[in-house]
Amino acid sequence: MASCRPPTSRRNAERQQALITALRRRFGDRVRIEGAAAGLHVVAWFDDLPLKHEEALIKAARAKGVGIYPVSALVAGRRNARKTVGLVMGYSALEVAQIERGCKLLAQAVAELD
């Protein structure tokens, strides 16, 4: 039976799954993924990375060509703001191979922090 999903929606679902799979493969239990049920991005929480490492991680990842954005910029000033690194990661404009490479490079950037 053919899928009722439009081609773009199906491709975005494949990209989202590729991102989630790549994050879990590279980081295992170190990453907690939220927001997969809506939108064209997910939030990846690195509960073992203190917020003080966020700027260095963003800089290292971007130097490797990985476009990630910190959650902290979205929750600044809130009393219940997180104390660990959270990254907003979009996937709709990427191909699966780019997603997998980006997660590999992100893992390298995280390893450089240790």
Side-chain angles (χ1 to χ4, degrees):
M1 175 177 220
S3 173
C4 296
R5 281 183 153 171
T8 302
S9 177
R10 188 171 36 252
R11 290 190 68 200
N12 283 332
E14 291 168 2
R15 291 172 177 142
Q16 180 192 64
Q17 189 57 52
L19 177 57
I20 291 169
T21 300
L23 285 170
R24 288 194 175 132
R25 183 179 333 107
R26 296 285 175 187
F27 298 102
D29 292 341
R30 291 186 73 187
V31 68
R32 186 168 39 87
I33 301 164
E34 293 182 351
L40 297 174
H41 66 277
V42 298
V43 175
W45 291 103
F46 293 85
D47 292 329
D48 64 336
L49 282 180
L51 196 55
K52 68 181 181 180
H53 293 302
E54 180 183 81
E55 187 176 335
L57 176 58
I58 298 291
K59 185 177 179 179
R62 288 184 180 165
K64 294 176 183 302
V66 180
I68 53 175
Y69 302 90
V71 171
S72 64
L74 305 173
V75 296
R78 291 188 185 172
R79 286 191 333 187
N80 62 349
R82 307 281 305 191
K83 304 279 191 268
T84 59
V85 173
L87 304 174
V88 177
M89 305 177 82
Y91 52 82
S92 67
L94 302 171
E95 296 301 324
V96 170
Q98 291 173 302
I99 291 168
E100 291 177 2
R101 178 165 167 69
C103 287
K104 176 183 176 183
L105 295 170
L106 178 60
Q108 290 173 3
V110 168
E112 290 170 7
L113 296 176
D114 297 335

